[in-house]
Each structure stands twice: as structure tokens, then as C-alpha cells.
Amino acid sequence: MTRSGILLVSVLAGTGAIAGVADIAQGVALPEAPGKQQILDSCTRCHGVDVIVAQPRSPDEWGEVVGTMIGQGAAFTDEAFETVMA
């Protein structure tokens, strides 16, 4: 890592910016609700939580997205799908 890279990391760590990114990555940005753990277990195998929370979609649109992800190998039981959609 270069000097400027080390300096940037130090500055960000001092401002708490890195902690905020870590919180998002750990699912803090998702509401505490049924289905949260299923989302963390299934969806974050391929992408971070930040991708999920950055997508403003309607419930119907999310149903299509999750259906597509299941078609690509995401592991959801029918019950887990219903819980996540609710």
C-alpha cells in the first residue's frame, strides 16, 4: 500500500467511515425483521448488503429479482421466500 493509501485509510478510520461500511456489510442496514437472516445467508453469497439496500424496488419487483436469483442458484425454501417477501 502506498503512503497516500495508508493515509486515506487512517483518515477514514478516524472519521468512522470504515466502521459504517463494515456495518452495512454485516447487515446492520437491513431492518430487524423476519427474513433478515435468510437474506444475509442467501443473498450475500454473491453480493454485499449494500447492493440490496441501494435498490429501491416495489414488493412485486423484489419478487421478480429474488425469483431470478433463485433461478441462478440462490438457496430459498418456499417458506423462506414468503418470509423474505413479507
Side-chain angles (χ1 to χ4, degrees):
M1 183 178 273
T2 66
R3 280 183 166 173
S4 59
I6 293 170
L7 178 61
L8 178 60
V9 169
S10 298
V11 169
L12 289 174
T15 63
I18 289 177
V21 171
D23 288 347
I24 289 171
Q26 293 175 3
V28 175
L30 292 175
E32 289 299 328
K36 177 180 178 177
Q37 193 59 51
Q38 182 66 38
I39 291 169
L40 293 174
D41 292 344
S42 297
C43 302
T44 60
R45 291 178 186 214
C46 297
H47 52 76
V49 174
D50 57 327
V51 172
I52 299 165
V53 299
Q55 305 295 317
R57 300 181 191 270
S58 71
D60 288 340
E61 291 170 326
W62 274 116
E64 291 177 24
V65 168
V66 174
T68 299
M69 296 299 109
I70 290 170
Q72 295 179 7
F76 278 93
T77 64
D78 289 343
E79 182 181 347
F81 177 82
E82 294 300 322
T83 301
V84 167
M85 291 293 90

Coordinates of all heavy atoms in Angstrom, one line a residue:
M1 N 0.9 -1.2 0.0 CA 0.0 0.0 0.0 C 0.9 1.2 0.0 O 1.9 1.3 0.7 CB -0.9 0.0 1.2 CG -1.9 1.1 1.3 SD -3.0 1.1 2.7 CE -4.3 0.0 2.1
T2 N 0.5 2.2 -0.7 CA 1.3 3.5 -0.8 C 1.0 4.3 0.4 O 0.1 4.1 1.2 CB 0.9 4.3 -2.1 OG1 -0.5 4.7 -1.9 CG2 1.0 3.4 -3.3
R3 N 1.9 5.3 0.6 CA 1.7 6.2 1.7 C 0.4 6.9 1.7 O -0.3 7.1 2.7 CB 2.8 7.3 1.6 CG 4.1 6.9 2.2 CD 5.0 8.1 2.1 NE 6.2 8.0 2.9 CZ 7.1 8.9 2.8 NH1 7.1 9.9 2.1 NH2 8.2 8.7 3.6
S4 N 0.0 7.4 0.5 CA -1.3 8.0 0.4 C -2.5 7.1 0.7 O -3.5 7.5 1.3 CB -1.5 8.7 -1.0 OG -1.4 7.7 -2.0
G5 N -2.3 5.8 0.3 CA -3.4 4.8 0.7 C -3.5 4.6 2.1 O -4.6 4.5 2.7
I6 N -2.3 4.5 2.8 CA -2.3 4.4 4.3 C -2.9 5.6 4.9 O -3.7 5.5 5.9 CB -0.9 4.1 4.8 CG1 -0.4 2.7 4.3 CG2 -0.8 4.2 6.3 CD1 1.1 2.5 4.5
L7 N -2.6 6.8 4.4 CA -3.1 8.0 5.0 C -4.6 8.0 4.8 O -5.4 8.3 5.8 CB -2.5 9.2 4.3 CG -3.0 10.6 4.8 CD1 -2.8 10.8 6.3 CD2 -2.4 11.7 4.0
L8 N -5.1 7.6 3.7 CA -6.6 7.6 3.4 C -7.3 6.7 4.4 O -8.3 7.0 5.0 CB -6.9 7.3 2.0 CG -8.3 7.2 1.6 CD1 -9.0 8.5 1.8 CD2 -8.5 6.7 0.2
V9 N -6.7 5.5 4.5 CA -7.3 4.5 5.4 C -7.3 5.1 6.9 O -8.3 4.9 7.6 CB -6.6 3.2 5.4 CG1 -7.0 2.2 6.5 CG2 -6.9 2.5 4.0
S10 N -6.2 5.7 7.3 CA -6.2 6.3 8.6 C -7.2 7.4 8.8 O -7.9 7.4 9.8 CB -4.8 6.8 8.9 OG -3.8 5.8 8.8
V11 N -7.3 8.2 7.8 CA -8.3 9.3 7.9 C -9.7 8.7 8.0 O -10.5 9.1 8.8 CB -8.2 10.3 6.7 CG1 -9.3 11.3 6.7 CG2 -6.9 11.0 6.8
L12 N -10.0 7.8 7.1 CA -11.4 7.2 7.1 C -11.7 6.5 8.4 O -12.8 6.6 8.9 CB -11.5 6.3 5.9 CG -11.6 6.9 4.5 CD1 -11.6 5.9 3.5 CD2 -12.8 7.8 4.4
A13 N -10.7 5.8 8.9 CA -10.9 5.1 10.2 C -11.1 6.1 11.3 O -12.0 5.8 12.2 CB -9.7 4.2 10.5
G14 N -10.4 7.2 11.3 CA -10.6 8.2 12.3 C -12.0 8.9 12.2 O -12.5 9.3 13.2
T15 N -12.6 8.9 11.0 CA -13.9 9.6 10.9 C -15.0 8.6 11.1 O -16.2 9.0 11.2 CB -14.1 10.2 9.5 OG1 -14.0 9.2 8.5 CG2 -13.0 11.2 9.2
G16 N -14.7 7.3 11.2 CA -15.7 6.3 11.4 C -16.3 5.8 10.1 O -17.3 5.0 10.1
A17 N -15.8 6.3 8.9 CA -16.4 5.9 7.6 C -16.2 4.4 7.4 O -17.1 3.8 6.9 CB -15.7 6.7 6.5
I18 N -15.1 3.9 7.8 CA -14.9 2.4 7.6 C -15.8 1.6 8.4 O -16.4 0.6 8.0 CB -13.4 2.1 7.8 CG1 -12.5 2.6 6.7 CG2 -13.2 0.6 7.9 CD1 -11.1 2.4 6.8
A19 N -16.1 2.1 9.6 CA -17.0 1.4 10.5 C -18.4 1.3 9.9 O -19.1 0.3 10.0 CB -17.0 2.0 11.9
G20 N -18.8 2.4 9.2 CA -20.1 2.4 8.6 C -20.2 1.4 7.5 O -21.2 0.8 7.3
V21 N -19.1 1.3 6.7 CA -19.1 0.3 5.6 C -19.2 -1.1 6.2 O -19.9 -1.9 5.7 CB -17.8 0.5 4.7 CG1 -17.7 -0.6 3.7 CG2 -17.9 1.8 4.0
A22 N -18.4 -1.3 7.3 CA -18.5 -2.6 7.9 C -19.8 -2.9 8.4 O -20.3 -4.1 8.3 CB -17.4 -2.7 9.0
D23 N -20.5 -2.0 9.0 CA -21.9 -2.2 9.5 C -22.8 -2.6 8.3 O -23.6 -3.5 8.5 CB -22.5 -0.9 10.1 CG -21.8 -0.6 11.5 OD1 -21.1 -1.5 12.0 OD2 -22.0 0.5 12.0
I24 N -22.7 -1.9 7.2 CA -23.6 -2.3 6.1 C -23.2 -3.7 5.6 O -24.1 -4.6 5.4 CB -23.4 -1.3 4.9 CG1 -24.0 0.0 5.2 CG2 -24.0 -1.9 3.6 CD1 -23.7 1.1 4.3
A25 N -22.0 -4.1 5.6 CA -21.5 -5.4 5.1 C -22.1 -6.5 6.1 O -22.3 -7.6 5.7 CB -20.0 -5.5 5.0
Q26 N -22.2 -6.1 7.4 CA -22.7 -7.1 8.4 C -24.2 -7.1 8.5 O -24.7 -7.8 9.3 CB -22.1 -6.8 9.7 CG -20.6 -7.0 9.7 CD -19.9 -6.6 11.0 OE1 -20.6 -6.2 12.0 NE2 -18.6 -6.7 11.1
G27 N -24.9 -6.3 7.7 CA -26.3 -6.4 7.7 C -27.0 -5.4 8.6 O -28.2 -5.5 8.8
V28 N -26.3 -4.5 9.2 CA -26.9 -3.5 10.1 C -27.9 -2.6 9.3 O -28.9 -2.2 9.9 CB -25.8 -2.7 10.8 CG1 -26.4 -1.6 11.6 CG2 -24.9 -3.5 11.6
A29 N -27.7 -2.4 8.0 CA -28.6 -1.6 7.2 C -29.9 -2.2 7.0 O -30.8 -1.6 6.6 CB -27.9 -1.2 5.9
L30 N -30.0 -3.6 7.2 CA -31.3 -4.2 7.0 C -32.1 -4.1 8.3 O -31.5 -4.2 9.4 CB -31.1 -5.7 6.7 CG -30.5 -6.1 5.3 CD1 -30.2 -7.6 5.2 CD2 -31.3 -5.6 4.2
P31 N -33.4 -3.9 8.2 CA -34.2 -3.8 9.4 C -34.3 -5.2 10.1 O -34.1 -6.2 9.5 CB -35.6 -3.5 8.8 CG -35.6 -4.0 7.4 CD -34.2 -3.9 6.9
E32 N -34.4 -5.1 11.4 CA -34.6 -6.3 12.2 C -36.0 -6.8 11.9 O -37.0 -6.2 12.4 CB -34.4 -6.0 13.7 CG -33.0 -5.7 14.1 CD -32.0 -6.9 13.8 OE1 -32.4 -8.1 13.9 OE2 -30.9 -6.6 13.5
A33 N -36.1 -7.9 11.2 CA -37.4 -8.4 10.7 C -37.2 -9.9 10.4 O -36.1 -10.3 10.1 CB -37.9 -7.6 9.6
P34 N -38.3 -10.6 10.4 CA -38.3 -12.0 9.9 C -37.7 -12.0 8.5 O -38.1 -11.1 7.7 CB -39.7 -12.4 9.9 CG -40.4 -11.6 10.9 CD -39.7 -10.2 10.8
G35 N -36.8 -12.9 8.2 CA -36.3 -13.0 6.9 C -34.9 -12.3 6.7 O -34.2 -12.6 5.8
K36 N -34.5 -11.5 7.7 CA -33.2 -10.8 7.6 C -32.1 -11.9 7.5 O -31.2 -11.7 6.7 CB -33.0 -9.9 8.8 CG -31.6 -9.3 8.8 CD -31.4 -8.4 10.0 CE -30.0 -7.8 10.0 NZ -29.8 -6.8 11.1
Q37 N -32.1 -12.9 8.4 CA -31.0 -13.8 8.4 C -31.0 -14.6 7.1 O -29.9 -14.9 6.5 CB -31.1 -14.8 9.6 CG -29.8 -15.6 9.8 CD -28.6 -14.7 10.0 OE1 -28.6 -13.8 10.8 NE2 -27.6 -15.0 9.2
Q38 N -32.2 -14.9 6.5 CA -32.2 -15.6 5.2 C -31.6 -14.8 4.1 O -30.9 -15.3 3.3 CB -33.6 -16.0 4.9 CG -33.8 -16.8 3.6 CD -33.1 -18.2 3.7 OE1 -33.2 -18.8 4.7 NE2 -32.5 -18.6 2.6
I39 N -31.8 -13.5 4.2 CA -31.2 -12.6 3.2 C -29.7 -12.6 3.3 O -29.0 -12.7 2.4 CB -31.8 -11.2 3.3 CG1 -33.3 -11.2 2.9 CG2 -31.0 -10.2 2.5 CD1 -34.0 -9.9 3.2
L40 N -29.3 -12.5 4.6 CA -27.8 -12.5 4.8 C -27.2 -13.8 4.4 O -26.1 -13.8 3.8 CB -27.5 -12.2 6.3 CG -27.9 -10.8 6.8 CD1 -27.7 -10.7 8.3 CD2 -27.1 -9.7 6.0
D41 N -27.9 -14.9 4.7 CA -27.3 -16.2 4.3 C -27.3 -16.5 2.8 O -26.4 -17.1 2.3 CB -28.1 -17.3 5.0 CG -27.9 -17.3 6.6 OD1 -27.0 -16.7 7.0 OD2 -28.7 -18.0 7.2
S42 N -28.4 -16.1 2.2 CA -28.6 -16.5 0.8 C -28.0 -15.4 -0.2 O -27.3 -15.7 -1.2 CB -30.0 -16.8 0.4 OG -30.5 -17.8 1.2
C43 N -28.4 -14.2 0.0 CA -28.1 -13.1 -1.0 C -26.6 -12.7 -0.9 O -26.1 -12.4 -2.0 CB -29.0 -11.9 -0.7 SG -30.8 -12.4 -0.9
T44 N -26.1 -12.7 0.3 CA -24.7 -12.1 0.4 C -23.6 -13.2 0.0 O -22.5 -12.9 0.1 CB -24.4 -11.6 1.8 OG1 -24.6 -12.7 2.7 CG2 -25.3 -10.4 2.1
R45 N -24.0 -14.3 -0.5 CA -23.1 -15.3 -1.1 C -22.5 -14.7 -2.3 O -21.4 -15.0 -2.7 CB -23.7 -16.6 -1.3 CG -24.1 -17.3 -0.1 CD -24.7 -18.6 -0.4 NE -25.2 -19.2 0.8 CZ -25.2 -20.5 1.0 NH1 -24.9 -21.4 0.1 NH2 -25.7 -21.0 2.2
C46 N -23.3 -13.9 -3.0 CA -22.8 -13.3 -4.3 C -22.6 -11.8 -4.3 O -21.8 -11.3 -5.2 CB -23.9 -13.6 -5.4 SG -24.1 -15.4 -5.7
H47 N -23.2 -11.1 -3.4 CA -23.0 -9.6 -3.4 C -23.2 -9.1 -2.0 O -23.8 -9.8 -1.2 CB -23.9 -8.9 -4.4 CG -25.3 -9.3 -4.3 ND1 -26.2 -8.8 -3.3 CD2 -26.1 -10.1 -5.1 CE1 -27.4 -9.3 -3.5 NE2 -27.4 -10.1 -4.5
G48 N -22.8 -7.9 -1.7 CA -22.9 -7.3 -0.4 C -24.3 -6.8 -0.1 O -25.1 -6.6 -1.0
V49 N -24.6 -6.6 1.1 CA -25.8 -6.0 1.6 C -26.0 -4.6 1.0 O -27.1 -4.2 0.7 CB -25.9 -5.9 3.1 CG1 -27.2 -5.2 3.6 CG2 -25.9 -7.3 3.7
D50 N -24.9 -3.9 0.7 CA -25.0 -2.6 0.2 C -25.7 -2.6 -1.2 O -26.5 -1.7 -1.5 CB -23.7 -1.9 0.0 CG -22.7 -2.7 -0.8 OD1 -22.7 -4.0 -0.7 OD2 -21.8 -2.1 -1.4
V51 N -25.5 -3.7 -2.0 CA -26.2 -3.8 -3.2 C -27.7 -3.9 -3.0 O -28.5 -3.3 -3.8 CB -25.7 -5.0 -4.0 CG1 -26.5 -5.3 -5.3 CG2 -24.2 -4.8 -4.4
I52 N -28.1 -4.6 -2.0 CA -29.5 -4.9 -1.7 C -30.2 -3.6 -1.3 O -31.3 -3.2 -1.8 CB -29.7 -6.0 -0.6 CG1 -29.1 -7.3 -1.1 CG2 -31.2 -6.1 -0.3 CD1 -28.9 -8.3 -0.1
V53 N -29.6 -2.9 -0.3 CA -30.3 -1.7 0.3 C -30.2 -0.5 -0.6 O -31.0 0.4 -0.5 CB -29.7 -1.4 1.7 CG1 -29.9 -2.5 2.7 CG2 -28.3 -1.0 1.6
A54 N -29.4 -0.6 -1.7 CA -29.3 0.5 -2.6 C -30.3 0.4 -3.7 O -30.4 1.3 -4.6 CB -27.9 0.6 -3.2
Q55 N -31.1 -0.6 -3.7 CA -32.1 -0.9 -4.8 C -33.5 -0.5 -4.4 O -34.2 -1.3 -3.7 CB -32.0 -2.4 -5.2 CG -30.7 -2.9 -5.6 CD -30.1 -2.2 -6.8 OE1 -30.8 -2.1 -7.8 NE2 -28.9 -1.9 -6.8
P56 N -34.0 0.6 -4.8 CA -35.4 1.0 -4.5 C -36.3 0.2 -5.4 O -36.3 0.5 -6.6 CB -35.4 2.5 -4.7 CG -34.4 2.8 -5.7 CD -33.3 1.7 -5.5
R57 N -37.0 -0.8 -4.9 CA -37.9 -1.6 -5.7 C -39.2 -1.8 -4.9 O -39.3 -1.8 -3.7 CB -37.3 -2.9 -6.0 CG -36.0 -2.9 -6.8 CD -35.5 -4.3 -7.0 NE -34.1 -4.3 -7.6 CZ -33.8 -4.2 -8.8 NH1 -34.8 -4.1 -9.7 NH2 -32.6 -4.2 -9.2
S58 N -40.3 -2.0 -5.7 CA -41.6 -2.4 -5.1 C -41.5 -3.8 -4.6 O -40.6 -4.6 -5.1 CB -42.7 -2.2 -6.1 OG -42.6 -3.2 -7.1
P59 N -42.5 -4.3 -3.8 CA -42.5 -5.7 -3.4 C -42.6 -6.6 -4.6 O -42.0 -7.7 -4.7 CB -43.8 -5.8 -2.5 CG -43.9 -4.4 -1.9 CD -43.4 -3.5 -3.0
D60 N -43.4 -6.2 -5.6 CA -43.5 -7.1 -6.8 C -42.2 -7.2 -7.6 O -41.8 -8.2 -8.1 CB -44.6 -6.5 -7.8 CG -46.0 -6.8 -7.3 OD1 -46.2 -7.6 -6.4 OD2 -46.9 -6.0 -7.7
E61 N -41.5 -6.0 -7.7 CA -40.2 -6.0 -8.3 C -39.2 -6.9 -7.6 O -38.4 -7.6 -8.2 CB -39.6 -4.6 -8.5 CG -40.4 -3.8 -9.5 CD -40.1 -2.3 -9.4 OE1 -39.7 -1.8 -8.4 OE2 -40.1 -1.7 -10.5
W62 N -39.2 -6.8 -6.2 CA -38.3 -7.7 -5.4 C -38.7 -9.1 -5.6 O -37.8 -10.0 -5.7 CB -38.4 -7.3 -3.9 CG -37.4 -6.2 -3.6 CD1 -37.8 -4.9 -3.2 CD2 -36.0 -6.2 -3.8 NE1 -36.6 -4.2 -3.0 CE2 -35.5 -4.9 -3.4 CE3 -35.1 -7.1 -4.2 CZ2 -34.2 -4.6 -3.4 CZ3 -33.7 -6.8 -4.2 CH2 -33.3 -5.6 -3.8
G63 N -39.9 -9.5 -5.7 CA -40.3 -10.8 -6.0 C -39.7 -11.4 -7.3 O -39.2 -12.5 -7.4
E64 N -39.7 -10.5 -8.3 CA -39.1 -10.9 -9.6 C -37.6 -11.1 -9.4 O -37.0 -12.0 -10.0 CB -39.4 -9.9 -10.7 CG -40.8 -9.8 -11.1 CD -41.1 -8.7 -12.1 OE1 -40.2 -8.3 -12.8 OE2 -42.3 -8.3 -12.2
V65 N -36.9 -10.1 -8.7 CA -35.5 -10.2 -8.5 C -35.1 -11.5 -7.8 O -34.2 -12.2 -8.2 CB -35.0 -8.9 -7.8 CG1 -33.5 -9.1 -7.3 CG2 -35.1 -7.7 -8.7
V66 N -35.8 -11.7 -6.7 CA -35.5 -12.9 -5.9 C -35.8 -14.2 -6.7 O -35.0 -15.1 -6.6 CB -36.2 -12.9 -4.5 CG1 -36.0 -14.2 -3.8 CG2 -35.8 -11.7 -3.7
G67 N -36.9 -14.2 -7.4 CA -37.1 -15.3 -8.3 C -36.0 -15.6 -9.3 O -35.6 -16.7 -9.5
T68 N -35.5 -14.5 -9.9 CA -34.4 -14.6 -10.8 C -33.1 -15.2 -10.1 O -32.4 -16.0 -10.6 CB -34.0 -13.2 -11.4 OG1 -35.2 -12.8 -12.2 CG2 -32.8 -13.3 -12.4
M69 N -32.9 -14.7 -8.9 CA -31.7 -15.1 -8.1 C -31.9 -16.6 -7.8 O -30.9 -17.4 -7.8 CB -31.5 -14.3 -6.8 CG -31.2 -12.9 -7.1 SD -29.7 -12.6 -8.0 CE -30.3 -12.0 -9.6
I70 N -33.1 -17.0 -7.4 CA -33.3 -18.5 -7.2 C -33.0 -19.3 -8.4 O -32.4 -20.3 -8.3 CB -34.7 -18.7 -6.7 CG1 -34.9 -18.1 -5.3 CG2 -35.1 -20.2 -6.7 CD1 -36.3 -18.1 -4.8
G71 N -33.4 -18.8 -9.6 CA -33.1 -19.4 -10.8 C -31.6 -19.5 -11.1 O -31.2 -20.4 -11.8
Q72 N -30.8 -18.6 -10.5 CA -29.4 -18.7 -10.7 C -28.7 -19.4 -9.5 O -27.5 -19.3 -9.4 CB -28.9 -17.2 -10.8 CG -29.4 -16.6 -12.1 CD -28.9 -15.1 -12.3 OE1 -28.1 -14.6 -11.5 NE2 -29.5 -14.5 -13.3
G73 N -29.4 -20.0 -8.6 CA -28.8 -20.8 -7.6 C -29.0 -20.3 -6.2 O -28.5 -21.0 -5.2
A74 N -29.6 -19.2 -5.9 CA -29.8 -18.7 -4.5 C -30.7 -19.8 -3.8 O -31.6 -20.3 -4.4 CB -30.5 -17.4 -4.5
A75 N -30.3 -20.0 -2.6 CA -31.0 -21.1 -1.8 C -32.1 -20.5 -1.0 O -31.9 -19.8 0.0 CB -30.0 -21.8 -0.9
F76 N -33.3 -20.7 -1.4 CA -34.5 -20.2 -0.7 C -35.5 -21.3 -0.7 O -35.9 -21.8 -1.8 CB -35.2 -19.0 -1.3 CG -34.6 -17.7 -1.0 CD1 -33.6 -17.2 -1.8 CD2 -35.0 -16.9 0.1 CE1 -33.0 -15.9 -1.6 CE2 -34.4 -15.7 0.3 CZ -33.5 -15.2 -0.5
T77 N -36.0 -21.7 0.5 CA -37.2 -22.6 0.5 C -38.4 -21.8 0.2 O -38.4 -20.5 0.2 CB -37.4 -23.2 1.9 OG1 -37.7 -22.2 2.8 CG2 -36.1 -24.0 2.3
D78 N -39.5 -22.4 -0.1 CA -40.8 -21.7 -0.4 C -41.2 -20.8 0.8 O -41.6 -19.7 0.7 CB -41.9 -22.6 -0.7 CG -41.8 -23.2 -2.1 OD1 -40.9 -22.7 -2.9 OD2 -42.4 -24.3 -2.4
E79 N -41.0 -21.4 2.0 CA -41.3 -20.7 3.3 C -40.4 -19.5 3.5 O -40.9 -18.4 3.8 CB -41.2 -21.7 4.5 CG -41.6 -21.0 5.8 CD -41.4 -22.0 6.9 OE1 -41.3 -23.2 6.7 OE2 -41.5 -21.5 8.1
A80 N -39.1 -19.7 3.2 CA -38.2 -18.6 3.4 C -38.5 -17.5 2.4 O -38.4 -16.3 2.7 CB -36.7 -19.1 3.2
F81 N -38.8 -17.8 1.1 CA -39.2 -16.9 0.1 C -40.4 -16.0 0.6 O -40.4 -14.8 0.5 CB -39.5 -17.5 -1.2 CG -40.0 -16.6 -2.3 CD1 -39.0 -15.9 -3.0 CD2 -41.3 -16.4 -2.6 CE1 -39.4 -15.0 -4.0 CE2 -41.7 -15.5 -3.6 CZ -40.8 -14.8 -4.3
E82 N -41.4 -16.7 1.1 CA -42.6 -16.0 1.6 C -42.3 -15.0 2.8 O -42.8 -13.9 2.9 CB -43.7 -17.0 2.0 CG -44.3 -17.8 0.9 CD -44.9 -16.9 -0.2 OE1 -45.5 -15.8 0.1 OE2 -44.8 -17.2 -1.4
T83 N -41.4 -15.5 3.7 CA -41.0 -14.7 4.8 C -40.2 -13.5 4.4 O -40.5 -12.3 4.8 CB -40.1 -15.5 5.8 OG1 -40.9 -16.7 6.2 CG2 -39.7 -14.7 7.0
V84 N -39.3 -13.6 3.5 CA -38.5 -12.5 2.9 C -39.4 -11.5 2.2 O -39.3 -10.3 2.4 CB -37.3 -13.0 2.0 CG1 -36.7 -11.9 1.3 CG2 -36.3 -13.8 2.9
M85 N -40.3 -12.0 1.4 CA -41.2 -11.1 0.7 C -42.1 -10.3 1.6 O -42.5 -9.2 1.3 CB -42.0 -11.9 -0.4 CG -41.2 -12.5 -1.5 SD -40.5 -11.2 -2.6 CE -38.9 -10.9 -1.9
A86 N -42.5 -10.9 2.7 CA -43.4 -10.3 3.7 C -42.6 -9.1 4.4 O -43.2 -8.1 4.7 CB -43.9 -11.2 4.7

